[in-house]
Amino acid sequence: MKSPTLFIFLFFLVSSSAHPTGKKQRSPCKNLVLFFHDVIYNGKNAANATAAIVGAPEGANRTILADHFHFGNVAVFDDPITLDNNFHSTPVGRAQGMYIYDTKNTFTAWLAFTFVLNSTQHQGTISFIGADPILVKSRDISVVGGTGDFLMHRGIASVMTDSYEGDVYFRLRVDIKFYEC
């Protein structure tokens, strides 16, 4: 015969407030749209560059992206983040991290970066990681955590290339939906 104490303990464990409905929340608890502007160093724009190629295939030039879908290039960045798509708007923070061009037969990258926000509206960080199939209009990457106003937040960021100027400049629109706040 089972102990009544064990039964009560198991009932409490199953019905605890940690999982009140047994289902995850399906609508975002917070939404934020930001833009980040990436200016890749090309050997002539050192004053304005916010990103640099730090790894390249053997024999490649680190001031020009490699041929064949940029495969093998690794870039680091410290890009301004704005509330709108204007490069000259007042930054609300910095996007800091790296991207790796990781496919030989199409344009894709693997991203790992953090938004470091320091404005009157938001203080803290938001961390992202995931694959970026660049030629897809809207692609999702994971929001894996944060600090400050975004402590322990998780969710999805829908990334869209908002502007592109050759191999030197691109602007991304990042629509962040937090599902754990």
Side-chain angles (χ1 to χ4, degrees):
M1 181 169 164
K2 294 194 179 190
S3 158
T5 308
L6 178 61
F7 176 77
I8 292 169
F9 173 75
L10 290 174
F11 177 77
F12 175 77
L13 187 63
V14 170
S15 64
S16 75
S17 62
H19 300 285
T21 63
K23 292 186 177 184
K24 295 252 184 209
Q25 181 178 355
R26 296 291 180 219
S27 59
C29 51
K30 193 182 294 184
N31 192 15
L32 186 63
V33 176
L34 298 166
F35 294 82
F36 79 90
H37 309 263
D38 193 82
V39 180
I40 301 172
Y41 175 69
N42 67 0
K44 301 173 190 168
N45 62 349
N48 295 324
T50 62
I53 301 166
V54 296
E58 187 174 340
N61 183 336
R62 287 199 189 137
T63 59
I64 301 169
L65 289 166
D67 290 336
H68 305 295
F69 306 105
H70 311 317
F71 178 72
N73 282 134
V74 178
V76 295
F77 58 90
D78 183 15
D79 297 340
I81 302 170
T82 59
L83 295 174
D84 61 20
N85 64 3
N86 186 341
F87 180 74
H88 300 289
S89 292
T90 303
V92 295
R94 306 294 292 185
Q96 300 170 330
M98 68 175 176
Y99 47 92
I100 302 169
Y101 290 99
D102 61 348
T103 304
K104 288 183 170 184
N105 58 3
T106 190
F107 286 104
T108 66
W110 183 83
L111 305 171
F113 64 97
T114 298
F115 280 2
V116 181
L117 300 171
N118 188 16
S119 70
T120 55
Q121 285 182 300
H122 301 290
Q123 297 281 320
T125 65
I126 307 168
S127 295
F128 307 83
I129 195 165
D132 182 13
I134 297 166
L135 299 178
V136 175
K137 183 176 180 176
S138 179
R139 53 258 187 214
D140 292 335
I141 58 174
S142 299
V143 176
V144 295
T147 64
D149 293 344
F150 309 98
L151 183 65
M152 301 298 288
H153 282 36
R154 293 193 302 174
I156 297 292
S158 296
V159 177
M160 290 178 279
T161 303
D162 191 58
S163 178
Y164 182 81
E165 295 176 19
D167 287 339
V168 177
Y169 172 79
F170 65 85
R171 177 179 59 236
L172 297 181
R173 180 183 190 274
V174 183
D175 183 356
I176 307 163
K177 292 179 177 69
F178 297 107
Y179 291 90
E180 292 182 19
C181 296

